[in-house]
Every structure is written in C-alpha cells, then in structure tokens.
Amino acid sequence: MKNKPENVIMTEGDPKKIIFRFAQPLIFANLFQQLYNTIDAVIVGRFVGKNALAAVAGSSGMVINLLVNFFTGLTAGASVIVSQFFGSGDRKKVDDSIHTIYAFSIIGSVIMTLIGITAAPALLRLMNTPEELMSDSILYLRIYFAGIFFVFIYNTGAGLLRALGDSRRPLYCLMICCVINIILDPIFIFVFHMDIAGAAAATVLAQLSSCLFVLFVLY
C-alpha cells in the first residue's frame, strides 16, 4: 500500500508534532462514534416511545458495546504487528498480516452473529432487562447482530489504516456513516413505520456504507 497525503510518517520529523497530527482525527473520531451511538436513542426516544428508548440505549446497547469493544481491542493489538512491518518496509509481511487479520475478522463476525441472534434473550436476562422491554430489546439486538459483519470489517479496516499512519480516512468514514444514519432513521421510522426495527435497520445500512468505504480505501 502506497503512502497517501493522509498518511502520517511516524518515523520522520518532530515526534510531538507527529503524534499531535496523528491524534487529532482520533479525538474527533471518538466524538463521532458517540454521536453515532446516540442518534438512534434520540430519534427513537423522541418519536417511538420511552420503552423503545430503553431498549436501544439500555441492556441491548451495553451488550453490543461490550462485545464490539472486546473484538476491537483484539484487532488493535493485531494492528501493532502491521505497523511494525510497515515501518520496516516489508511490504509482503504487511499484506500477509492484513489478509490474516481480515480472515480472523470474518470468522469472528460469523461466530458473533450466531451468538448475538441465538443468545439474545439469555444475554438480556443476564443484564436484568425488565420484561416489558424484552421484546423490543431482542428485536433490536438481533437485527444489529445480523449486520455485525459490517461492524467488524470497518473496525478492522480502520485499525489497519491507523497502523499504516492514516487516522484521517477512518474519521471521514464515521462522518459519512453518521449522516447516512441520520437520514435513514426518520425514513424507516416515519415512512415505513418500522419503529425500533427501522432504527436498527438504519444502523446496519449505515455500517454497511462504512464497511464498503474502508475496504475501498484499503484496496
């Protein structure tokens, strides 16, 4: 993979300036990640109802964050290996590492999809989810996990891009994803009257867009 203008060469120049330049997009990415997770809760809570809000932002949201953050941590560790090979100029090992990490991501996403869909009721009961929220929470969780593949592919790609010194394009991807989610949420909720299922479907489609974007950049 050739360096683009977005890439920060971490081994050249003033370390303080390099780290600051590289960290700026990471800070904004965290802000957009929080915004992205808040969009569904705000729209659903305002226009669908308090039970729907509790289903999106409550136990189901905690289960999603726990599992996704766990896997994201694993891919972040794997990205360290890629950055070492990239820094040493070993293109073949960089490519081999990327292929291995993506193979792991695909396998992990399949396993996580099966766990999320089949074990959703049990996971929510472990979280002491109130019975009146179970139906909506299970629906939201299952739709989300049906598209968990896109989440894994994006997070893996974003980690790999950062390992190669590019922290800007993962941020651009999140910004696009947020806009798509903001647009699709009202369409699915108001036009198609899908309520909480519409919010979950909008999230999955937004994640699909981020997945395609990051794959395009890596390719």
Side-chain angles (χ1 to χ4, degrees), residues 199-219:
T203 299
V204 170
L205 290 176
Q207 290 165 347
L208 169 61
S209 69
S210 65
C211 170
L212 295 175
F213 181 86
V214 80
L215 286 176
F216 174 78
V217 172
L218 277 172
Y219 180 78

Side-chain angles (χ1 to χ4, degrees), residues 13-203:
D14 185 350
K16 292 181 180 179
K17 292 181 179 180
I18 293 171
I19 293 173
F20 179 74
R21 180 185 169 195
F22 184 79
Q24 277 183 314
L26 296 179
I27 296 172
F28 285 105
N30 286 331
L31 294 175
F32 274 95
Q33 185 69 55
Q34 295 300 319
L35 173 64
Y36 176 76
N37 294 333
T38 303
I39 291 170
D40 281 351
V42 170
I43 295 178
V44 166
R46 178 67 178 83
F47 298 105
V48 180
K50 61 181 182 181
N51 283 352
L53 171 60
V56 171
S59 299
S60 59
M62 294 176 67
V63 170
I64 290 169
N65 289 333
L66 175 64
L67 296 177
V68 172
N69 288 336
F70 172 75
F71 185 83
T72 302
L74 292 179
T75 58
S79 298
V80 173
I81 299 174
V82 176
S83 65
Q84 291 175 338
F85 291 143
F86 183 68
S88 66
D90 194 329
R91 170 62 183 268
K92 183 179 185 304
K93 288 186 177 180
V94 169
D95 291 342
D96 290 344
S97 299
I98 289 176
H99 295 153
T100 301
I101 293 170
Y102 259 114
F104 178 74
S105 300
I106 293 171
I107 295 171
S109 66
V110 172
I111 294 173
M112 204 65 73
T113 297
L114 295 175
I115 293 174
I117 292 176
T118 59
L123 291 172
L124 291 169
R125 287 192 176 92
L126 285 174
M127 301 290 292
N128 294 319
T129 304
E131 198 60 38
E132 64 271 17
L133 302 179
M134 283 295 292
S135 178
D136 283 344
S137 296
I138 291 172
L139 177 62
Y140 186 84
L141 200 58
R142 282 177 168 167
I143 294 175
Y144 187 94
F145 273 101
I148 201 71
F149 171 83
F150 307 132
V151 179
F152 279 21
I153 296 301
Y154 163 73
N155 281 295
T156 299
L160 291 172
L161 285 173
R162 291 170 185 139
L164 301 177
D166 184 356
S167 59
R168 291 183 179 274
R169 283 183 287 192
L171 170 62
Y172 301 154
C173 182
L174 270 180
M175 295 169 66
I176 294 171
C177 194
C178 282
V179 171
I180 292 175
N181 200 26
I182 291 172
I183 294 172
L184 291 182
D185 264 341
I187 292 176
F188 284 128
I189 291 174
F190 300 131
V191 178
F192 297 109
H193 306 290
M194 295 174 65
D195 295 336
I196 195 169
T203 299

